[in-house]
Amino acid sequence: AQRVTQPEKLLSVFKGAPVELKCNYSYSGSPELFWYVQYSRQRLQLLLRHISRESIKGFTADLNKGETSFHLKKPFAQEEDSAMYYCALSGPDSGNTPLVFGKGTRLSVIA
Amino acid sequence: NAGVTQTPKFRVLKTGQSMTLLCAQDMNHEYMYWYRQDPGMGLRLIHYSVGEGTTAKGEVPDGYNVSRLKKQNFLLGLESAAPSQTSVYFCASSYGATAGYTFGSGTRLTVV
């Protein structure tokens, strides 16, 4: 079964400090992994997906198949990064299975 | 370019009442989804559709029904609302199962 675990409900960091939002997954095949972000009073939006290997708003995420992780990182946090972050997985080997989301981590960047 | 539009944005229902949430997308996406978002629970899939005329159950389908009569619209119905269905409902669409999703702005539903 596909499962996404985000172990931290809340993460507080100071402005300018490094950020790492953890995501671990359970999937037997080759997963497609995503990070979505939800700013206050806004809709969820795609932040990045591992297949594109992009850096969006200074965030990066590397898929580590050995550790089954897809942690989201940023070297220097900004106040505008405060938001809810969701890790999500799709299993292309499972046909049309929709995304499975983690429970989310709320990032609070303190000035 | 509207993307994904959900109506209504807010609604208060009494227990036992019924209602339909509408999701419309203008991106010609094949796939559409309904999720509910609850504190501490993340996003849970209610129902989804992989094309016009098709629907499938997600993780938490009980108490909900859906229809996809037109490609651009995906309706979520509550036949007899219960307080446990108080939640924020998000609709999303995508080109394919592994493509990025475009989300609507959500419907905040309260059942009293």
Side-chain angles (χ1 to χ4, degrees):
Chain A
Q2 302 172 21
R3 190 178 303 124
V4 176
T5 303
Q6 294 179 250
E8 303 138 329
K9 287 186 178 180
L10 174 65
L11 181 65
S12 296
V13 300
F14 286 103
K15 179 182 175 181
V19 175
E20 182 178 68
L21 298 164
K22 291 183 168 52
C23 172
N24 290 91
Y25 67 89
S26 173
Y27 182 66
S28 57
S30 296
E32 297 273 357
L33 284 150
F34 305 79
W35 277 98
Y36 283 81
V37 61
Q38 185 180 28
Y39 300 103
S40 180
R41 299 182 184 278
Q42 294 187 26
R43 65 187 70 193
L44 283 94
Q45 53 188 283
L46 178 65
L47 182 61
L48 56 81
R49 55 187 299 185
H50 91 273
I51 197 169
S52 64
R53 302 189 68 82
E54 290 178 295
S55 175
I56 306 294
K57 299 185 179 183
F59 285 98
T60 59
D62 290 319
L63 176 60
N64 186 322
K65 291 187 177 181
E67 296 183 357
T68 59
S69 68
F70 189 56
H71 302 329
L72 185 68
K73 300 177 183 180
K74 185 171 184 178
F76 308 104
Q78 302 299 315
E79 289 180 75
E80 55 265 30
D81 296 328
S82 295
M84 194 74 177
Y85 291 81
Y86 291 97
C87 182
L89 174 151
S90 178
D93 302 333
S94 305
N96 298 323
T97 308
L99 286 179
V100 174
F101 286 82
K103 294 185 178 181
T105 298
R106 182 169 299 281
L107 175 65
S108 176
V109 180
I110 306 163
Chain B
N1 193 3
V4 177
T5 303
Q6 290 184 234
T7 54
K9 294 191 185 304
F10 303 93
R11 185 73 185 269
V12 178
L13 284 180
K14 293 182 179 179
T15 298
Q17 286 185 319
S18 63
M19 79 163 294
T20 299
L21 283 67
L22 172 63
C23 177
Q25 53 96 3
D26 61 2
M27 297 169 288
N28 202 34
H29 284 171
E30 289 291 337
Y31 293 69
M32 296 187 75
Y33 317 86
W34 277 106
Y35 286 86
R36 59 178 291 174
Q37 183 186 44
D38 301 290
M41 300 298 290
L43 286 135
R44 293 181 292 169
L45 182 67
I46 305 171
H47 286 280
Y48 65 102
S49 168
V50 300
E52 181 178 314
T54 72
T55 63
K57 293 181 180 180
E59 180 187 354
V60 289
D62 294 342
Y64 306 95
N65 57 74
V66 288
S67 64
R68 183 101 181 268
L69 299 179
K70 292 183 178 180
K71 185 177 184 178
Q72 63 267 34
N73 295 335
F74 195 29
L75 279 62
L76 178 71
L78 285 73
E79 295 176 344
S80 179
S84 60
Q85 294 178 304
T86 293
S87 187
V88 180
Y89 292 86
F90 284 101
C91 176
S93 69
S94 67
Y95 280 116
T98 59
Y101 288 10
T102 300
F103 279 86
S105 58
T107 295
R108 185 173 294 276
L109 175 66
T110 302
V111 182
V112 297

Short mmCIF file of all heavy atoms in Angstrom, two decimals, chain A residues 35-48 56-59 72 74 78-86 105-107 109, chain B residues 37 90 105 108:
data_model
loop_
_atom_site.label_atom_id
_atom_site.label_comp_id
_atom_site.label_asym_id
_atom_site.label_seq_id
_atom_site.Cartn_x
_atom_site.Cartn_y
_atom_site.Cartn_z
N TRP A 35 5.81 17.88 -3.79
CA TRP A 35 5.55 18.73 -2.65
C TRP A 35 4.54 19.80 -3.07
O TRP A 35 4.71 20.45 -4.12
CB TRP A 35 6.82 19.42 -2.15
CG TRP A 35 7.65 18.57 -1.23
CD1 TRP A 35 8.74 17.83 -1.55
CD2 TRP A 35 7.42 18.37 0.17
NE1 TRP A 35 9.22 17.18 -0.45
CE2 TRP A 35 8.43 17.50 0.62
CE3 TRP A 35 6.48 18.84 1.08
CZ2 TRP A 35 8.52 17.09 1.96
CZ3 TRP A 35 6.57 18.45 2.40
CH2 TRP A 35 7.58 17.58 2.83
N TYR A 36 3.49 19.93 -2.25
CA TYR A 36 2.49 20.98 -2.45
C TYR A 36 2.56 21.93 -1.27
O TYR A 36 2.87 21.54 -0.14
CB TYR A 36 1.08 20.38 -2.54
CG TYR A 36 0.79 19.73 -3.87
CD1 TYR A 36 1.24 18.45 -4.15
CD2 TYR A 36 0.09 20.42 -4.85
CE1 TYR A 36 0.99 17.87 -5.38
CE2 TYR A 36 -0.17 19.84 -6.08
CZ TYR A 36 0.28 18.57 -6.34
OH TYR A 36 0.03 17.99 -7.55
N VAL A 37 2.21 23.20 -1.52
CA VAL A 37 2.23 24.21 -0.47
C VAL A 37 0.89 24.93 -0.43
O VAL A 37 0.25 25.12 -1.47
CB VAL A 37 3.39 25.21 -0.68
CG1 VAL A 37 3.25 25.95 -2.00
CG2 VAL A 37 3.48 26.19 0.47
N GLN A 38 0.46 25.26 0.77
CA GLN A 38 -0.79 26.00 0.95
C GLN A 38 -0.51 27.18 1.85
O GLN A 38 -0.32 27.03 3.07
CB GLN A 38 -1.86 25.10 1.54
CG GLN A 38 -3.23 25.77 1.64
CD GLN A 38 -4.28 24.84 2.23
OE1 GLN A 38 -3.98 23.94 3.01
NE2 GLN A 38 -5.53 25.06 1.86
N TYR A 39 -0.45 28.37 1.26
CA TYR A 39 -0.29 29.60 2.04
C TYR A 39 -1.62 29.96 2.66
O TYR A 39 -2.68 29.51 2.22
CB TYR A 39 0.24 30.72 1.16
CG TYR A 39 1.58 30.42 0.53
CD1 TYR A 39 1.67 30.04 -0.82
CD2 TYR A 39 2.75 30.48 1.28
CE1 TYR A 39 2.89 29.74 -1.39
CE2 TYR A 39 3.97 30.17 0.71
CZ TYR A 39 4.04 29.80 -0.62
OH TYR A 39 5.25 29.48 -1.17
N SER A 40 -1.57 30.80 3.69
CA SER A 40 -2.77 31.14 4.43
C SER A 40 -3.86 31.65 3.51
O SER A 40 -3.64 32.54 2.69
CB SER A 40 -2.42 32.21 5.48
OG SER A 40 -3.57 32.55 6.22
N ARG A 41 -5.03 31.03 3.62
CA ARG A 41 -6.23 31.44 2.89
C ARG A 41 -6.07 31.30 1.37
O ARG A 41 -6.74 32.00 0.61
CB ARG A 41 -6.61 32.88 3.24
CG ARG A 41 -6.92 33.09 4.71
CD ARG A 41 -7.33 34.52 4.99
NE ARG A 41 -7.53 34.76 6.41
CZ ARG A 41 -8.65 34.46 7.05
NH1 ARG A 41 -9.67 33.92 6.41
NH2 ARG A 41 -8.76 34.70 8.35
N GLN A 42 -5.17 30.42 0.94
CA GLN A 42 -5.01 30.20 -0.49
C GLN A 42 -5.18 28.72 -0.81
O GLN A 42 -5.21 27.87 0.06
CB GLN A 42 -3.63 30.67 -0.96
CG GLN A 42 -3.43 32.18 -0.85
CD GLN A 42 -2.13 32.62 -1.47
OE1 GLN A 42 -1.60 31.97 -2.38
NE2 GLN A 42 -1.60 33.74 -1.01
N ARG A 43 -5.31 28.44 -2.08
CA ARG A 43 -5.47 27.05 -2.50
C ARG A 43 -4.12 26.35 -2.52
O ARG A 43 -3.07 27.00 -2.55
CB ARG A 43 -6.11 26.99 -3.88
CG ARG A 43 -5.28 27.57 -5.02
CD ARG A 43 -6.08 27.62 -6.30
NE ARG A 43 -7.13 28.62 -6.25
CZ ARG A 43 -8.13 28.69 -7.13
NH1 ARG A 43 -8.21 27.81 -8.13
NH2 ARG A 43 -9.05 29.62 -7.04
N LEU A 44 -4.15 25.04 -2.48
CA LEU A 44 -2.91 24.27 -2.61
C LEU A 44 -2.32 24.48 -4.00
O LEU A 44 -3.04 24.56 -5.00
CB LEU A 44 -3.17 22.78 -2.43
CG LEU A 44 -3.39 22.28 -1.02
CD1 LEU A 44 -4.88 22.25 -0.70
CD2 LEU A 44 -2.81 20.88 -0.86
N GLN A 45 -1.01 24.56 -4.04
CA GLN A 45 -0.34 24.69 -5.32
C GLN A 45 0.91 23.81 -5.34
O GLN A 45 1.53 23.58 -4.31
CB GLN A 45 0.02 26.15 -5.61
CG GLN A 45 0.80 26.84 -4.52
CD GLN A 45 0.96 28.32 -4.79
OE1 GLN A 45 1.77 28.73 -5.60
NE2 GLN A 45 0.17 29.13 -4.10
N LEU A 46 1.21 23.34 -6.53
CA LEU A 46 2.37 22.48 -6.68
C LEU A 46 3.64 23.28 -6.46
O LEU A 46 3.85 24.33 -7.08
CB LEU A 46 2.36 21.88 -8.09
CG LEU A 46 3.53 20.98 -8.45
CD1 LEU A 46 3.53 19.72 -7.59
CD2 LEU A 46 3.45 20.59 -9.93
N LEU A 47 4.50 22.79 -5.58
CA LEU A 47 5.77 23.46 -5.32
C LEU A 47 6.85 22.84 -6.20
O LEU A 47 7.54 23.56 -6.92
CB LEU A 47 6.14 23.33 -3.84
CG LEU A 47 7.43 24.02 -3.39
CD1 LEU A 47 7.34 25.52 -3.63
CD2 LEU A 47 7.70 23.73 -1.92
N LEU A 48 6.99 21.52 -6.14
CA LEU A 48 7.93 20.87 -7.04
C LEU A 48 7.64 19.38 -7.09
O LEU A 48 6.94 18.83 -6.24
CB LEU A 48 9.38 21.15 -6.62
CG LEU A 48 9.83 20.80 -5.21
CD1 LEU A 48 10.17 19.33 -5.07
CD2 LEU A 48 11.09 21.61 -4.85
N ILE A 56 12.38 25.59 -6.79
CA ILE A 56 11.30 26.58 -6.79
C ILE A 56 11.36 27.37 -5.49
O ILE A 56 11.38 26.80 -4.41
CB ILE A 56 9.93 25.89 -6.91
CG1 ILE A 56 9.89 24.96 -8.12
CG2 ILE A 56 8.82 26.93 -6.98
CD1 ILE A 56 9.99 25.65 -9.44
N LYS A 57 11.41 28.69 -5.62
CA LYS A 57 11.46 29.58 -4.44
C LYS A 57 12.59 29.19 -3.50
O LYS A 57 12.48 29.34 -2.28
CB LYS A 57 10.11 29.56 -3.70
CG LYS A 57 8.95 30.03 -4.56
CD LYS A 57 7.67 30.12 -3.78
CE LYS A 57 6.54 30.62 -4.66
NZ LYS A 57 5.27 30.80 -3.93
N GLY A 58 13.66 28.64 -4.05
CA GLY A 58 14.81 28.28 -3.24
C GLY A 58 14.72 26.91 -2.61
O GLY A 58 15.66 26.46 -1.95
N PHE A 59 13.59 26.21 -2.79
CA PHE A 59 13.40 24.88 -2.24
C PHE A 59 13.90 23.82 -3.20
O PHE A 59 13.74 23.94 -4.42
CB PHE A 59 11.92 24.60 -1.96
CG PHE A 59 11.37 25.29 -0.75
CD1 PHE A 59 10.68 26.47 -0.88
CD2 PHE A 59 11.55 24.75 0.51
CE1 PHE A 59 10.16 27.11 0.24
CE2 PHE A 59 11.03 25.37 1.64
CZ PHE A 59 10.34 26.57 1.50
N LEU A 72 12.22 18.02 1.89
CA LEU A 72 12.22 19.35 1.27
C LEU A 72 13.19 20.25 2.03
O LEU A 72 13.12 20.34 3.26
CB LEU A 72 10.81 19.95 1.32
CG LEU A 72 10.59 21.28 0.61
CD1 LEU A 72 10.73 21.13 -0.88
CD2 LEU A 72 9.22 21.85 0.97
N LYS A 74 15.60 24.04 2.22
CA LYS A 74 15.89 25.40 1.79
C LYS A 74 17.01 25.93 2.69
O LYS A 74 16.93 25.80 3.92
CB LYS A 74 14.66 26.29 1.89
CG LYS A 74 14.89 27.69 1.33
CD LYS A 74 13.58 28.48 1.23
CE LYS A 74 13.83 29.83 0.60
NZ LYS A 74 12.60 30.63 0.44
N GLN A 78 12.71 32.23 4.75
CA GLN A 78 12.14 33.57 4.69
C GLN A 78 10.76 33.56 5.34
O GLN A 78 10.08 32.53 5.39
CB GLN A 78 12.01 34.02 3.23
CG GLN A 78 13.32 34.02 2.45
CD GLN A 78 14.34 34.96 3.06
OE1 GLN A 78 14.01 36.09 3.42
NE2 GLN A 78 15.58 34.51 3.17
N GLU A 79 10.33 34.72 5.83
CA GLU A 79 9.03 34.80 6.50
C GLU A 79 7.90 34.36 5.57
O GLU A 79 6.94 33.73 6.02
CB GLU A 79 8.77 36.21 7.01
CG GLU A 79 9.65 36.61 8.18
CD GLU A 79 9.36 38.02 8.66
OE1 GLU A 79 8.30 38.21 9.31
OE2 GLU A 79 10.17 38.91 8.40
N GLU A 80 8.04 34.66 4.29
CA GLU A 80 6.98 34.30 3.34
C GLU A 80 6.91 32.80 3.07
O GLU A 80 6.01 32.34 2.37
CB GLU A 80 7.16 35.06 2.02
CG GLU A 80 8.51 34.89 1.37
CD GLU A 80 9.47 36.02 1.74
OE1 GLU A 80 9.35 36.58 2.85
OE2 GLU A 80 10.34 36.32 0.91
N ASP A 81 7.84 32.04 3.62
CA ASP A 81 7.78 30.58 3.48
C ASP A 81 6.81 29.96 4.47
O ASP A 81 6.51 28.75 4.39
CB ASP A 81 9.17 29.96 3.68
CG ASP A 81 10.16 30.40 2.63
OD1 ASP A 81 9.74 30.64 1.48
OD2 ASP A 81 11.36 30.50 2.96
N SER A 82 6.35 30.73 5.42
CA SER A 82 5.40 30.20 6.41
C SER A 82 4.14 29.71 5.69
O SER A 82 3.48 30.48 4.98
CB SER A 82 5.03 31.29 7.43
OG SER A 82 6.14 31.64 8.20
N ALA A 83 3.83 28.44 5.86
CA ALA A 83 2.71 27.82 5.13
C ALA A 83 2.57 26.38 5.59
O ALA A 83 3.36 25.89 6.40
CB ALA A 83 2.97 27.86 3.62
N MET A 84 1.57 25.72 5.01
CA MET A 84 1.37 24.29 5.23
C MET A 84 1.97 23.57 4.04
O MET A 84 1.69 23.93 2.89
CB MET A 84 -0.13 23.99 5.34
CG MET A 84 -0.46 22.64 5.88
SD MET A 84 -0.17 22.57 7.64
CE MET A 84 -0.73 20.91 7.97
N TYR A 85 2.78 22.55 4.30
CA TYR A 85 3.45 21.82 3.23
C TYR A 85 2.99 20.35 3.26
O TYR A 85 3.00 19.71 4.31
CB TYR A 85 4.96 21.89 3.40
CG TYR A 85 5.51 23.27 3.15
CD1 TYR A 85 5.46 24.25 4.13
CD2 TYR A 85 6.07 23.60 1.92
CE1 TYR A 85 5.94 25.53 3.90
CE2 TYR A 85 6.57 24.86 1.68
CZ TYR A 85 6.50 25.82 2.68
OH TYR A 85 6.96 27.09 2.44
N TYR A 86 2.64 19.86 2.08
CA TYR A 86 2.20 18.47 1.95
C TYR A 86 3.09 17.73 0.98
O TYR A 86 3.36 18.20 -0.13
CB TYR A 86 0.76 18.40 1.41
CG TYR A 86 -0.30 18.89 2.36
CD1 TYR A 86 -0.79 20.19 2.27
CD2 TYR A 86 -0.83 18.05 3.34
CE1 TYR A 86 -1.77 20.64 3.13
CE2 TYR A 86 -1.80 18.50 4.20
CZ TYR A 86 -2.27 19.79 4.10
OH TYR A 86 -3.25 20.23 4.95
N THR A 105 2.90 19.37 7.17
CA THR A 105 3.74 20.02 8.19
C THR A 105 3.53 21.52 8.06
O THR A 105 3.66 22.08 6.97
CB THR A 105 5.23 19.71 7.98
OG1 THR A 105 5.44 18.31 8.12
CG2 THR A 105 6.08 20.46 9.00
N ARG A 106 3.21 22.14 9.18
CA ARG A 106 3.07 23.60 9.17
C ARG A 106 4.42 24.22 9.50
O ARG A 106 4.99 23.96 10.56
CB ARG A 106 2.03 24.07 10.18
CG ARG A 106 1.82 25.58 10.17
CD ARG A 106 0.60 25.99 10.98
NE ARG A 106 -0.63 25.43 10.46
CZ ARG A 106 -1.29 25.90 9.40
NH1 ARG A 106 -0.82 26.94 8.74
NH2 ARG A 106 -2.43 25.34 9.02
N LEU A 107 4.93 25.01 8.55
CA LEU A 107 6.20 25.70 8.75
C LEU A 107 5.93 27.12 9.21
O LEU A 107 5.18 27.85 8.57
CB LEU A 107 7.01 25.72 7.44
CG LEU A 107 8.31 26.53 7.47
CD1 LEU A 107 9.31 25.91 8.44
CD2 LEU A 107 8.91 26.63 6.08
N VAL A 109 8.03 30.53 10.14
CA VAL A 109 9.33 31.19 10.11
C VAL A 109 9.24 32.44 10.99
O VAL A 109 8.42 33.34 10.73
CB VAL A 109 9.74 31.57 8.68
CG1 VAL A 109 11.10 32.26 8.69
CG2 VAL A 109 9.77 30.33 7.79
N GLN B 37 -10.21 18.04 3.61
CA GLN B 37 -9.06 18.44 4.43
C GLN B 37 -9.53 18.68 5.84
O GLN B 37 -10.38 19.54 6.09
CB GLN B 37 -8.41 19.70 3.86
CG GLN B 37 -7.17 20.15 4.61
CD GLN B 37 -6.66 21.49 4.08
OE1 GLN B 37 -7.42 22.42 3.85
NE2 GLN B 37 -5.34 21.58 3.89
N PHE B 90 -11.82 20.10 -1.23
CA PHE B 90 -11.03 20.58 -2.36
C PHE B 90 -11.25 19.70 -3.57
O PHE B 90 -11.21 18.48 -3.50
CB PHE B 90 -9.54 20.59 -2.02
CG PHE B 90 -9.13 21.71 -1.12
CD1 PHE B 90 -8.94 21.49 0.23
CD2 PHE B 90 -8.93 22.98 -1.63
CE1 PHE B 90 -8.56 22.53 1.06
CE2 PHE B 90 -8.55 24.02 -0.80
CZ PHE B 90 -8.37 23.80 0.54
N SER B 105 -10.22 26.50 -4.93
CA SER B 105 -9.99 27.30 -3.72
C SER B 105 -10.66 26.71 -2.49
O SER B 105 -10.47 27.20 -1.38
CB SER B 105 -10.47 28.73 -3.95
OG SER B 105 -11.84 28.73 -4.29
N ARG B 108 -15.80 25.47 2.29
CA ARG B 108 -15.84 25.22 3.73
C ARG B 108 -17.27 24.88 4.11
O ARG B 108 -18.16 25.72 4.02
CB ARG B 108 -15.36 26.43 4.50
CG ARG B 108 -15.25 26.21 6.00
CD ARG B 108 -14.60 27.40 6.69
NE ARG B 108 -13.22 27.59 6.30
CZ ARG B 108 -12.19 26.96 6.83
NH1 ARG B 108 -12.39 26.10 7.82
NH2 ARG B 108 -10.95 27.21 6.41
#
